[in-house]
Amino acid sequence: MLTWRISAINWSSPAASNSFPRGCEREMKIVPIACLEDNYAYLIIDENSREAAAVDPVEPEKILQTAVENGVDLKLVLTTHHHWDHAGGNEKIKQLVPGIKVFGGSIDNVKGCTNKLENGDKLVLGTDVNILSLHTPCHTKGHISYYVTSKEEEDPAVFTGDTLFVAGCGKFFEGTAEQMYQSLCVTLGSLPKPTRVFCGHEYTEKNLRFALTVEPENGKTREKLSWAQHQRQGNLPTIPSTIGEELETNPFMRVDLPELQARVNCQSPVEALKEIRRLKDNWRG
């Protein structure tokens, strides 16, 4: 088992380094927490109230330790989907934090859920953090991504679970290529390009290597792969990405391009997305 620990965002990330100036006061802080073999959980912290939300807290004790280290009061759990490595800590965290609210998709059968969310539902964390529920089905039928902004709507972030990975997407376990196209290219792809992407797993290096089999001439992808390999050699994270970076390097979000469709012998974005997913499922890297 890979042992790793992340206590805060790594500011050498090309996405993170452009998020806001060093020393700038922020209303919202995001703390990635490495869990299991390659999962990410997160704390979203409202800096003003010192209240926090946990995203997919599969290892509750580790999440609570991080909350204590950051001096915050844990109020919410935001669950992206029902798979055990994302929702498996919900019941335990309810025991450890009596009264905590656990959110999840209304049709996703999330373990421990106390508050069911529909697409477009809005939550508030503390005084300055706004959370928008986005239904992004396919990996699971009720998968939710969480679009999070500060009071001033600066430095937006999206928590994409297993729908969108850095340079990849989740398997189509409970949905169709049409649904994944809507989730990736329409719902998430229409978010502001600077939006930071915090996904559910550390799959970046492998995803970028596969992406180059689809678009071998994509210089942005090759450059990001080199950076990701350097990060992982140092046992450092490759998150966050940004929506803008994904539109440049993620083949699953680039299927509207005729040249990419041609490379996989397809005639439409949805057909291309389905074919690239098939190729990835059979790729051994």
Side-chain angles (χ1 to χ4, degrees):
M1 178 181 294
L2 179 65
T3 301
W4 56 323
R5 176 174 174 78
I6 302 164
S7 59
I9 292 173
N10 167 47
W11 291 109
S12 65
S13 161
S17 62
N18 294 321
S19 296
F20 30 76
R22 294 292 188 104
C24 177
E25 289 189 8
R26 306 189 299 275
E27 297 171 340
M28 178 175 68
K29 178 181 179 181
I30 296 167
V31 182
I33 305 166
C35 294
L36 306 177
E37 290 190 13
D38 54 28
N39 277 70
Y40 285 119
Y42 299 95
L43 281 186
I44 306 168
I45 299 171
D46 172 47
E47 294 277 46
N48 187 39
S49 68
R50 307 305 297 165
E51 292 184 359
V55 181
D56 291 346
V58 64
E59 294 190 69
E61 292 87 353
K62 186 179 287 189
I63 276 68
L64 289 176
Q65 178 186 346
T66 305
V68 170
E69 290 170 355
N70 283 270
V72 297
D73 187 12
L74 195 56
K75 293 291 188 181
L76 311 175
V77 168
L78 306 175
T79 314
T80 59
H81 62 295
H82 68 77
H83 290 162
W84 75 269
D85 59 329
H86 296 261
N90 287 354
E91 293 288 6
K92 180 66 173 178
I93 208 166
K94 285 167 69 177
Q95 294 173 14
L96 296 172
V97 187
I100 194 169
K101 294 180 179 179
V102 178
F103 291 86
S106 64
I107 59 172
D108 211 45
N109 195 29
V110 168
K111 191 171 184 179
C113 184
T114 63
N115 296 72
K116 294 184 177 182
L117 292 170
E118 304 290 344
N119 183 59
D121 283 350
K122 297 178 180 179
L123 309 172
V124 176
L125 174 67
T127 57
D128 294 329
V129 175
N130 297 308
I131 302 166
L132 176 65
S133 167
L134 300 174
H135 185 211
T136 49
C138 184
H139 186 69
T140 68
K141 64 182 179 180
H143 193 293
I144 298 290
S145 297
Y146 296 93
Y147 179 63
V148 183
T149 57
S150 66
K151 188 176 181 180
E152 301 301 325
E153 297 188 1
E154 296 175 345
D155 311 317
V158 65
F159 296 85
T160 58
D162 286 2
T163 291
L164 169 62
F165 299 123
V166 181
C169 74
K171 292 185 177 181
F172 301 179
F173 284 136
E174 298 180 16
T176 64
E178 287 82 1
Q179 286 179 314
M180 187 59 87
Y181 177 79
Q182 179 72 28
S183 294
L184 284 181
C185 302
V186 180
T187 301
L188 297 175
S190 64
L191 295 176
K193 288 184 178 180
T195 301
R196 292 166 290 159
V197 175
F198 293 94
C199 58
H201 291 270
E202 180 58 65
Y203 292 162
T204 303
E205 184 179 348
K206 187 173 182 180
N207 285 345
L208 287 164
R209 287 194 287 110
F210 171 76
L212 284 172
T213 70
V214 180
E215 293 186 287
E217 305 305 318
N218 189 325
K220 296 281 188 179
T221 302
R222 195 168 299 280
E223 179 183 348
K224 189 159 185 179
L225 174 59
S226 177
W227 170 82
Q229 289 171 332
H230 183 266
Q231 289 293 102
R232 298 311 297 148
Q233 287 169 4
N235 206 31
L236 295 170
T238 61
I239 46 107
S241 182
T242 67
I243 292 296
E245 285 184 29
E246 293 309 301
L247 292 171
E248 293 178 333
T249 61
N250 188 330
F252 296 97
M253 293 187 74
R254 292 170 57 77
V255 292
D256 285 310
L257 298 173
E259 57 269 32
L260 189 143
Q261 295 172 25
R263 283 201 60 86
V264 292
N265 299 312
C266 293
Q267 305 297 318
S268 73
V270 171
E271 185 184 356
L273 182 60
K274 183 177 181 179
E275 175 61 13
I276 295 170
R277 184 67 258 179
R278 186 192 69 80
L279 292 170
K280 179 69 187 302
D281 288 343
N282 291 298
W283 183 71
R284 294 296 172 259

